[in-house]
């Protein structure tokens, strides 16, 4: 911390030197006036938003709804129309508190380098909510700049990205930077109490877990090929369907459920076996991702996590997590369990929006000087999802160590609208689809 001769601390230095690691407590927001402990006339937190889609806009709204003197001061996106739409929505939402959304024209940045211009603009906290392929690049830059960070999950789409995030996470701790990751179940009271009870032995030793994100899928591709100015624009507008940007839905979406099982185990799998494919979503407009996965993850103690995720309509749906123990079973997502002795428990306490609580906790930590860093478990749960994808695409067992020893890198070598992504369509507009038993993934 830089101090003047009279030992006073500037707002900027104060905000840079307050924070590091309270993982999954969900209690920081209950500190009442903690957000005002250090607040004085110039202790305003200036927020920058990188990635102005639906989730980025939502995260910005939640950041601006925290206690304390917080305002959105800068925005960045590859596409101007997305940024303009986000800003308009936020201005409407905070019309009663317009001082919270104050983005001057010179603080609106567009393009592939917009994130760096935003970081250089003087923000104190940055929200990273672009498609996840960019997350390692943006996170590393934010840590190097010395700002506090909220980043959406997943935090990478390939092994190289995970390694970059883990390395930057160490630097963030050294710099005492607060880092939140959008795995909001860690801030959801029913999950917190249920997980704590299970760790205390409520159903005995955990022998297996099941987790699901089986649903009808996500949004349809937004931009038609004939309307795209380049292959790069086409893939970025339709980012969910390309692995360098999304990592497939086992990574982008199912990470939530996989992460809960890792949280319960206080560990990460050592091996994965998987199967899956494209059964229904086969049109070329759906890029290169699968529509279903089934993965068996193995932990070091031989405990198993059985994982399913599906994007097919008119099927049975489930977005849940479950645990089996030596003395009972638990519906973790339902916050209830039953023992073999007949005892039944269900969470009946207070509930709050976990998307808001995760920001309440982060900003309270920043103001209160509480150690706070969720980057490591965010990166390792991301890696768990990627491990499942690699095992499924290859049709072969893949170990954690094998994957982490590889240099799998899906990112383009150049970022410009004229540059070519790593994979492109054939003459008929179809993208290469991984074939189990044939495709090499490491």
């Amino acid at each position: 911390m830089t101090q003047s001769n009279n030992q006073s601390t500037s707002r900027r230095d104060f905000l840079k030197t307050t924070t590091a690691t309270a993982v999954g407590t969900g209690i920081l927001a209950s500190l009442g006036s903690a957000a005002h402990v250090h607040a004085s006339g110039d202790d305003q937190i200036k927020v920058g938003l990188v990635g102005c889609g639906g989730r980025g806009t939502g995260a910005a709204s939640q950041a601006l709804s925290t206690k304390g003197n917080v305002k959105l001061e800068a925005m960045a996106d590859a596409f101007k129309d997305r940024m303009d739409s986000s800003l308009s929505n936020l201005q409407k939402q905070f019309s009663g508190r317009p001082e919270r959304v104050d983005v001057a024209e010179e603080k609106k940045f567009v393009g592939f380098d917009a994130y760096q211009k935003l970081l250089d603009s003087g923000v104190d906290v940055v929200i990273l909510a672009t498609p996840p392929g960019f997350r390692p690049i943006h996170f590393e830059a934010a840590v190097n700049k010395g700002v506090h960070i909220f980043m959406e999950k997943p935090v990478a789409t390939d092994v190289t990205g995970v390694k970059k995030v883990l390395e930057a996470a160490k630097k963030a701790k050294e710099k005492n930077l607060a880092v939140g990751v959008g795995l909001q179940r860690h801030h959801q009271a029913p999950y917190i109490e249920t997980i704590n009870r299970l760790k205390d032995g409520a159903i005995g030793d955990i022998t297996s877990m099941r987790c699901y994100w089986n649903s009808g899928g996500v949004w349809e591709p937004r931009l038609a090929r004939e309307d795209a100015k380049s292959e790069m624009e086409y893939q970025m507008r339709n980012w969910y369907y390309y692995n360098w940007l999304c990592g497939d839905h086992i990574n982008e979406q199912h990470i939530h459920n996989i992460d809960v099982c890792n949280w319960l185990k206080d560990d990460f799998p050592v091996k994965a076996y998987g199967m899956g494919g494209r059964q229904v979503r086969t049109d070329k407009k759906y890029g290169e991702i699968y529509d279903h996965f089934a993965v068996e993850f193995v932990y070091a103690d031989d405990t198993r996590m059985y994982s399913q995720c599906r994007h097919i309509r008119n099927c049975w749906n489930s977005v849940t997590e479950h645990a089996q123990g030596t003395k009972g079973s638990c519906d973790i997502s339902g916050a209830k369990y039953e023992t073999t002795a007949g005892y039944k428990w269900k969470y009946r306490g207070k509930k709050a929006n976990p998307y808001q609580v995760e920001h309440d906790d982060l900003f309270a930590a920043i103001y209160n000087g509480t150690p706070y860093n969720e980057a490591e478990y965010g990166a390792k749960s991301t890696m768990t999802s990627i491990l499942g994808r690699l095992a499924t695409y290859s049709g072969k067992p893949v170990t954690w160590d094998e994957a982490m020893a590889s240099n799998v890198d899906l990112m383009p070598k150049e970022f410009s609208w004229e540059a070519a992504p790593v994979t492109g369509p054939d003459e008929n507009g179809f993208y290469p689809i991984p074939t189990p038993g044939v495709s090499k993934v490491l």
Side-chain angles (χ1 to χ4, degrees):
M1 179 174 5
T2 301
Q3 294 183 322
S4 65
N5 291 335
N6 65 3
Q7 301 298 304
S8 67
T9 305
S10 72
R11 178 191 68 85
R12 183 73 175 166
D13 289 333
F14 161 70
L15 291 170
K16 279 188 175 181
T17 56
T18 57
T19 54
T21 311
V23 175
T25 62
I27 61 172
L28 291 174
S30 68
L31 295 177
S33 62
H36 302 281
V37 170
H38 296 283
S40 61
D42 61 352
D43 282 339
Q44 183 179 70
I45 293 183
K46 298 177 180 179
V47 177
L49 172 61
V50 178
C52 303
R55 184 75 286 270
T57 304
S61 172
Q62 283 131 16
L64 297 175
S65 298
T66 60
K67 295 180 179 179
N69 188 4
V70 181
K71 81 165 180 174
L72 180 66
E73 183 168 279
M75 301 177 76
D77 199 280
F79 300 106
K80 185 177 184 299
D81 61 299
R82 299 294 287 171
M83 182 176 63
D84 290 344
S85 174
S86 175
L87 179 58
S88 176
N89 287 334
L90 289 167
Q91 287 172 332
K92 289 177 183 176
Q93 184 175 348
F94 289 89
S95 59
R97 292 182 290 172
E99 73 283 355
R100 294 233 157 182
V101 183
D102 184 17
V103 185
E105 285 300 318
E106 63 270 20
K107 296 294 182 73
K108 300 175 185 177
F109 307 105
V110 177
F112 286 102
D113 62 349
Y115 74 96
Q116 190 62 60
K117 293 177 180 177
L118 180 142
L119 292 173
D120 292 339
S121 71
V123 297
D124 304 303
V125 178
V126 64
I127 297 169
L128 303 179
T130 62
F134 291 104
R135 198 84 72 245
I137 298 169
H138 295 171
F139 178 57
E140 180 182 57
V143 170
N144 288 341
K145 192 65 182 179
V147 301
H148 302 298
I149 299 151
F150 176 83
M151 58 178 169
E152 264 304 335
K153 58 76 213 164
V155 302
T157 58
D158 57 30
V159 176
T160 299
V162 169
K163 292 177 182 178
K164 186 186 290 286
V165 170
L166 287 171
E167 186 61 32
K170 293 178 184 177
K171 294 179 181 177
K173 286 184 179 181
E174 293 169 1
K175 291 186 171 187
N176 294 324
L177 299 176
V179 181
V181 175
L183 292 165
Q184 75 281 352
R185 285 164 172 78
H186 287 265
H187 301 265
Q188 194 164 350
Y191 272 96
I192 294 167
E193 183 164 345
T194 302
I195 293 290
N196 286 341
R197 283 172 171 263
L198 296 183
K199 287 183 177 182
D200 286 341
I203 61 170
D205 296 332
I206 303 301
T207 57
S208 65
M209 298 169 291
R210 295 176 289 119
C211 61
Y212 307 89
W213 195 303
N214 289 338
S215 70
V218 294
W219 44 272
E220 287 285 299
R222 294 162 173 158
L223 181 67
R225 180 166 295 282
E226 57 269 23
D227 296 327
K229 295 178 178 134
S230 67
E231 179 65 25
M232 182 67 79
E233 182 191 13
Y234 180 73
Q235 291 194 20
M236 285 184 60
R237 289 284 191 180
N238 300 318
W239 64 269
Y240 206 99
Y241 298 94
Y242 299 92
N243 274 325
W244 71 275
L245 289 161
C246 164
D248 216 321
H249 63 101
I250 190 174
N251 185 49
E252 201 284 330
Q253 193 175 61
H254 191 35
I255 183 177
H256 281 298
N257 319 104
I258 288 171
D259 173 69
V260 168
C261 294
N262 287 341
W263 178 15
L264 174 57
K265 280 296 293 178
D266 271 332
D267 203 359
F268 302 90
V270 297
K271 184 185 291 187
Y273 305 82
M275 61 184 297
R278 284 165 65 104
Q279 182 67 29
V280 174
R281 202 165 52 190
T282 58
D283 191 280
K284 58 189 176 184
K285 70 180 180 178
Y286 297 119
E288 58 186 356
I289 68 171
Y290 278 13
D291 58 21
H292 65 282
F293 290 82
V295 181
E296 179 179 340
F297 293 97
V298 184
Y299 292 85
D301 64 358
D302 207 39
T303 300
R304 308 292 167 121
M305 174 194 358
Y306 301 100
S307 149
Q308 292 182 24
C309 57
R310 177 184 13 86
H311 280 183
I312 301 175
R313 295 175 182 173
N314 301 315
C315 300
W316 73 274
N317 295 330
S318 179
V319 182
T320 59
E321 307 90 22
H322 308 262
Q324 182 67 44
T326 55
K327 297 180 181 179
S329 60
C330 180
D331 175 355
I332 303 172
S333 45
K336 58 185 179 181
Y337 62 78
E338 182 174 359
T339 70
T340 52
Y343 175 77
K344 295 181 180 180
W345 174 85
K346 181 176 177 60
Y347 178 81
R348 302 186 187 282
K350 293 181 179 180
K351 298 179 181 180
N353 179 355
Y355 292 97
Q356 183 59 54
V357 175
E358 65 182 348
H359 285 271
D360 293 341
D361 288 351
L362 173 64
F363 280 80
I366 292 170
Y367 271 114
N368 206 38
T370 307
Y372 197 101
N373 193 314
E374 300 178 334
E376 183 176 351
Y377 80 70
K380 290 185 176 180
S381 281
T382 296
M383 186 62 215
T384 307
S385 302
I386 292 171
L387 184 68
R389 186 188 75 214
L390 296 173
T392 302
Y393 281 5
S394 67
K396 303 179 187 301
V398 178
T399 70
W400 182 283
D401 289 345
E402 287 171 343
M404 288 299 288
S406 74
N407 293 307
V408 176
D409 187 351
L410 304 180
M411 299 301 287
K413 304 307 177 189
E414 177 189 348
F415 294 106
S416 72
W417 296 119
E418 296 73 33
V422 174
T423 59
D426 62 19
E427 62 274 12
N428 297 313
F430 285 92
Y431 292 83
I433 307 301
T435 303
V438 176
S439 296
K440 294 183 178 180
V441 298
L442 294 176

